[in-house]
Amino acid sequence: MTNKMQRIVLASRPRGAASSDNFRLETADIPAPGPGEVLVRTLFLSLDPYMRGRMSAAKSYSAPVEVGATMGGGTVSEVVDSNAAGVRPGDIVLGMGGWATHAVLPADQVRKVDPAVAPVSTALGVLGMPGFTGWYGLTQIGRPKPGETLVVGAATGPVGSMVGQLARAGGLRAVGVAGGAEKCRFAVEQLGFDACIDHRAHASADSLREALKDAAPDGIDIYFENVAGKTLEAVLPQMNVHGRIPLCGTVAWYQGGSDADHDQLPAAWRGILTRRLTVGGFIIADHYDRFPAFLGEVAPQVASGRIVYREDVAEGLENAPEAFLGMLKGRNFGKQLVRVAG
Amino acid sequence: MTNKMQRIVLASRPRGAASSDNFRLETADIPAPGPGEVLVRTLFLSLDPYMRGRMSAAKSYSAPVEVGATMGGGTVSEVVDSNAAGVRPGDIVLGMGGWATHAVLPADQVRKVDPAVAPVSTALGVLGMPGFTGWYGLTQIGRPKPGETLVVGAATGPVGSMVGQLARAGGLRAVGVAGGAEKCRFAVEQLGFDACIDHRAHASADSLREALKDAAPDGIDIYFENVAGKTLEAVLPQMNVHGRIPLCGTVAWYQGGSDADHDQLPAAWRGILTRRLTVGGFIIADHYDRFPAFLGEVAPQVASGRIVYREDVAEGLENAPEAFLGMLKGRNFGKQLVRVAG
């Protein structure tokens, strides 16, 4: 084992859309763990849309990454060295190792992952933060009822695919929106969505709305919002009275905002009023007290194959920026991961 | 008693802002009540912002008024003739008599008003639909907790003044927004608001926001939304995490939409997400099962003077259009009524 590690730091803050210039690959000495800490070797790095927000200095729900600092992120890692009781070399742990080949983490901030339950990468996706986000938002804010209709964007992503499968299992009509015919086919054939609309085939929100009318002929009771943009614009007028909108992401706007030529807020606000909607913003980090309930319900279904998931794995830490930028454009197909070590 | 009545009909639908040309005063024969109906003589007509929506053909939560038909509206009236058991001439009743000196109403759609409890006009304001709107939205959607801060617009109107007084009584800091120094003085001195901001003194949302920072130094936990526009724009960035926005009106936008030069929806949506807000649209007509609870709680406080109210009374049915148009511009000071007969 060499005593050098690699990491990707935030080289500069994006102006408008993020680009590869905003990242820099660096080499550094592998640090030694202090008391109560563990040294881990990253196996998988999770790439998630929220990271775009942390690249900017603007106030958000988590502190921005400092320029020159390592990009943060969830990781599944192997413990290499431990100064903490209960964690041993060879253990596989979930933690916030960041965009790096190695990390020193407080032992009380890692959680052991059992490779016997499911492939360890699932701790970053279907059985991790994104899957939990879908489960929590749907069950706690969406409050689904059999016979209702649900719409979710990024339907083949780790949040959308959880939401759609849980909705179907709960007796709802599940309509996905995804980018591309192949993703839509996967959503219907593998994930069990009743219908999936390819937003790339609809240049305007009006056109997308017409497709939604066909796919959701009884209107929409729950719109699980993780994309915003054109999808939101198309969905809102189709919402049924007393509909619910769990809101956990607006990824279509992360790279530069709306391209609408007018203020859409009055119509949105009026829609919420006249349709008596409830819009509930949530940040999953607030709700980890419910994580055991989520795992208890969902892990057996993943193990049995009843809940399907798909991963999109980039190879090598050096390819993380490209994979991340592609994900913001919807180029990933399934949960975006980086395999940092084999 | 003459056998002629007067009524105001919708002469044409507004294009942009409503104007007096959209209304026409007509004379007609007084109709006779059929079986189960009562003939009433209007004492007070209520003018309410929702009526602007019904002048347009666009889909809303209630059907539009047809061109040529009498403008609808809540009334307090005296029964003149009755073909229904239990309702007698001389009874004072609340009903939907509309913009007219007389009306025939189904007896099962009127509710007797007891003049001994409070002046009968209060059945259209503090003890009627607007007061109930404030009570319901605050208690059921706002879920106030002592020590929190609440902001409400149109603070001296019948909804805002109810919200502010209930909030204060519940141990919240109550900050009003109103149009003009005189209204703000009334809000603080008579209604008991902790502070009131004159939005006419702030040309921009930014300026209004700075004033809000002073008036609500700990941020805003509940924004009771009945005005939207510049107030909403100023309030949203000041909302605290886990804040609530009961949404029952957007009157600033009723007469022609936003004057913003950009799409404000992305920032609003992102604010709801990052601050984990709950926005709950509601239409009070859905919730009349709670009306007895409201009256039971609030009527004694109105009778005792603990809850204060203010009315702005226009004289004569023929002046209803002008009073209504003025109300949409915030020219009323208190609940807008028309005294149709003395």
Side-chain angles (χ1 to χ4, degrees):
Chain A
M1 181 174 115
T2 163
N3 61 348
K4 294 289 182 187
M5 61 171 280
Q6 292 192 299
R7 65 187 179 207
I8 292 173
V9 302
L10 181 65
S12 58
R13 300 204 185 280
R15 300 188 203 175
S19 75
S20 56
D21 296 343
N22 301 128
F23 302 98
R24 185 173 64 236
L25 182 68
E26 290 185 348
T27 299
D29 291 337
I30 293 178
E37 292 183 334
V38 294
L39 171 67
V40 300
R41 182 175 76 102
T42 308
L43 303 177
F44 290 98
L45 164 66
S46 178
L47 296 178
D48 299 280
Y50 78 84
M51 294 167 171
R52 175 64 187 82
R54 302 196 64 196
M55 294 175 72
S56 298
K59 183 180 173 181
S60 183
Y61 51 87
S62 54
V65 178
E66 296 298 324
V67 172
T70 303
M71 288 288 297
T75 50
V76 165
S77 309
E78 182 186 348
V79 175
V80 175
D81 193 3
S82 174
N83 281 333
V87 185
R88 289 178 302 188
D91 283 350
I92 307 298
V93 295
L94 177 73
M96 293 299 287
W99 297 29
T101 57
H102 297 73
V104 165
L105 298 171
D108 61 2
Q109 291 177 28
V110 302
R111 183 169 65 78
K112 283 195 202 177
V113 175
D114 182 354
V117 172
V120 297
S121 60
T122 59
L124 297 170
V126 64
L127 294 179
M129 184 271 283
F132 181 40
T133 299
W135 178 87
Y136 181 87
L138 179 66
T139 59
Q140 303 303 302
I141 301 175
R143 289 174 279 114
K145 291 189 275 290
E148 290 189 328
T149 297
L150 168 135
V151 170
V152 63
T156 61
V159 178
S161 61
M162 177 63 70
V163 169
Q165 291 180 88
L166 291 176
R168 282 287 288 143
L172 283 79
R173 179 172 179 82
V175 177
V177 178
E182 193 189 356
K183 288 183 184 175
C184 279
R185 205 158 40 236
F186 180 81
V188 171
E189 293 177 2
Q190 301 298 320
L191 301 175
F193 277 86
D194 294 284
C196 185
I197 300 167
D198 174 9
H199 66 76
R200 295 195 201 277
H202 298 277
S204 71
D206 285 346
S207 169
L208 187 57
R209 186 176 306 133
E210 290 304 313
L212 271 172
K213 285 183 188 172
D214 291 338
D218 297 330
I220 300 164
D221 301 292
I222 303 174
Y223 172 48
F224 190 103
E225 172 67 299
N226 55 350
V227 296
K230 191 171 66 176
T231 305
L232 169 61
E233 201 179 336
V235 161
L236 261 185
Q238 297 307 113
M239 290 296 295
N240 288 332
V241 164
H242 297 135
R244 289 83 66 198
I245 303 183
L247 166 52
C248 69
T250 63
V251 68
W253 288 326
Y254 286 179
Q255 287 278 45
S258 166
D259 55 3
D261 60 357
H262 65 288
D263 187 0
Q264 299 191 89
L265 183 56
W269 221 236
R270 184 164 176 74
I272 295 168
L273 164 56
T274 60
R275 297 164 199 275
R276 298 90 142 161
L277 307 180
T278 299
V279 183
F282 72 103
I283 306 287
I284 197 60
D286 294 344
H287 304 290
Y288 268 85
D289 58 315
R290 302 301 307 277
F291 192 76
F294 156 72
L295 266 194
E297 177 182 332
V298 172
Q301 298 188 65
V302 171
S304 73
R306 186 175 153 84
I307 289 182
V308 176
Y309 65 97
R310 183 178 174 121
E311 297 174 339
D312 191 334
V313 184
E315 299 292 339
L317 180 67
E318 66 279 12
N319 290 315
E322 188 189 337
F324 177 69
L325 297 170
M327 183 189 65
L328 292 179
K329 293 175 183 151
R331 292 202 184 131
N332 59 309
F333 189 174
K335 166 62 193 161
Q336 183 67 59
L337 298 169
V338 180
R339 192 192 317 271
V340 178
Chain B
M1 181 175 115
T2 164
N3 61 349
K4 293 290 182 186
M5 61 172 279
Q6 291 192 304
R7 64 187 179 207
I8 291 173
V9 302
L10 181 65
S12 58
R13 299 205 185 282
R15 300 188 204 176
S19 75
S20 57
D21 295 343
N22 301 128
F23 302 98
R24 185 173 63 238
L25 183 68
E26 291 185 347
T27 300
D29 291 336
I30 293 178
E37 293 183 334
V38 295
L39 171 66
V40 300
R41 182 174 75 102
T42 308
L43 303 177
F44 289 97
L45 163 66
S46 178
L47 296 179
D48 299 279
Y50 78 84
M51 295 168 172
R52 175 62 187 82
R54 302 196 63 194
M55 294 175 73
S56 298
K59 184 180 174 181
S60 183
Y61 50 88
S62 54
V65 179
E66 296 298 322
V67 172
T70 303
M71 288 287 296
T75 50
V76 165
S77 309
E78 181 185 347
V79 175
V80 176
D81 193 3
S82 174
N83 281 332
V87 185
R88 289 177 304 189
D91 283 350
I92 306 297
V93 294
L94 177 72
M96 293 299 287
W99 296 29
T101 58
H102 297 74
V104 164
L105 299 171
D108 60 4
Q109 290 176 29
V110 302
R111 183 169 65 79
K112 283 193 203 180
V113 174
D114 182 356
V117 172
V120 295
S121 59
T122 58
L124 296 170
V126 64
L127 294 179
M129 183 272 283
F132 181 39
T133 299
W135 177 86
Y136 181 87
L138 179 65
T139 59
Q140 303 302 303
I141 301 176
R143 290 173 281 116
K145 292 188 274 291
E148 290 190 327
T149 296
L150 167 136
V151 170
V152 63
T156 60
V159 177
S161 61
M162 176 63 69
V163 168
Q165 291 180 88
L166 292 175
R168 282 286 288 141
L172 283 80
R173 179 172 178 82
V175 177
V177 178
E182 193 189 358
K183 288 182 183 174
C184 279
R185 203 157 43 236
F186 180 80
V188 171
E189 293 176 3
Q190 301 298 317
L191 301 174
F193 277 86
D194 294 282
C196 185
I197 300 167
D198 175 9
H199 67 75
R200 295 194 200 278
H202 298 277
S204 72
D206 285 345
S207 170
L208 187 56
R209 186 175 307 133
E210 291 305 312
L212 271 172
K213 284 183 189 172
D214 291 339
D218 297 330
I220 300 164
D221 301 292
I222 304 174
Y223 172 48
F224 191 103
E225 171 66 299
N226 55 350
V227 296
K230 190 171 65 176
T231 305
L232 169 61
E233 202 179 335
V235 161
L236 262 185
Q238 298 307 114
M239 290 296 295
N240 287 333
V241 164
H242 297 135
R244 288 85 66 197
I245 304 183
L247 166 53
C248 69
T250 63
V251 67
W253 288 326
Y254 286 179
Q255 287 278 45
S258 166
D259 54 5
D261 61 357
H262 66 287
D263 187 359
Q264 300 192 89
L265 183 56
W269 221 236
R270 183 162 178 77
I272 294 168
L273 164 56
T274 58
R275 296 163 200 275
R276 299 86 141 163
L277 307 181
T278 298
V279 183
F282 71 104
I283 305 288
I284 197 61
D286 294 343
H287 304 291
Y288 268 84
D289 58 315
R290 304 300 308 276
F291 192 76
F294 157 72
L295 265 195
E297 178 182 332
V298 172
Q301 298 188 68
V302 171
S304 73
R306 186 174 152 86
I307 289 182
V308 176
Y309 64 96
R310 182 177 174 122
E311 296 173 341
D312 191 334
V313 184
E315 298 292 337
L317 180 68
E318 67 278 12
N319 290 315
E322 187 189 339
F324 176 69
L325 298 170
M327 182 189 65
L328 292 179
K329 293 175 182 152
R331 292 201 184 132
N332 59 309
F333 189 172
K335 166 61 194 162
Q336 183 68 59
L337 297 169
V338 179
R339 192 193 319 269
V340 179

